[in-house]
Amino acid sequence: MVLDFAGYRTYDSIIRCKEIFKQSRFTIISQPTHNARALFLAKELGVDAVAFAAQDVPGGYSFRTYLREYLARPKAILDVYLLDRSRYESKRASPVQQRIIHYK
């Protein structure tokens, strides 16, 4: 399992996983509302990904969470089809930023 400490956006995290961590297949673990967008981005960026839905937060999602996801979905389409940021060169993470956790 790898934690991406420099991935602040789903789009960037998927590109970093592919380019920095050299992974072409991986599992995305997130909330159900986020997984659909993450899988869309992974597919469009040429990554073979599956998603695991983490347990929902107690009490449900806030208005802010729904608003963020509502705005992030069109942004994902812009990232993939119009902005074409898939060719940018990600900066390599420093050893402090790039921590790998191994589980047996």
Side-chain angles (χ1 to χ4, degrees):
M1 182 176 287
V2 178
L3 294 173
D4 181 12
F5 290 96
Y8 297 104
R9 297 181 54 233
T10 305
Y11 184 87
D12 296 332
S13 290
I14 291 172
I15 289 177
R16 286 178 51 76
C17 192
K18 184 177 177 181
E19 293 180 5
I20 303 291
F21 300 114
K22 304 298 183 201
Q23 301 297 309
S24 60
R25 298 176 66 199
F26 53 84
T27 301
I28 298 164
I29 303 171
S30 190
Q31 304 301 352
T33 56
H34 175 253
N35 281 339
R37 178 169 48 91
L39 287 173
F40 164 77
L41 288 168
K43 178 183 173 193
E44 295 300 318
L45 294 170
V47 174
D48 182 18
V50 295
F52 177 79
Q55 184 177 2
D56 280 335
V57 293
Y61 298 106
S62 68
F63 174 75
R64 181 178 173 203
T65 302
Y66 282 116
L67 179 63
R68 182 184 184 286
E69 189 61 30
Y70 180 79
L71 296 173
R73 289 182 182 193
K75 177 74 167 117
I77 293 169
L78 291 173
D79 282 336
V80 170
Y81 296 118
L82 294 178
L83 301 177
D84 191 23
R85 294 180 44 208
S86 64
R87 296 183 188 176
Y88 83 91
E89 183 68 34
S90 298
K91 294 181 180 177
R92 296 230 176 249
S94 71
V96 173
Q97 292 172 320
Q98 188 180 46
R99 297 178 188 154
I100 300 175
I101 301 172
H102 297 280
Y103 291 96
K104 291 186 178 184

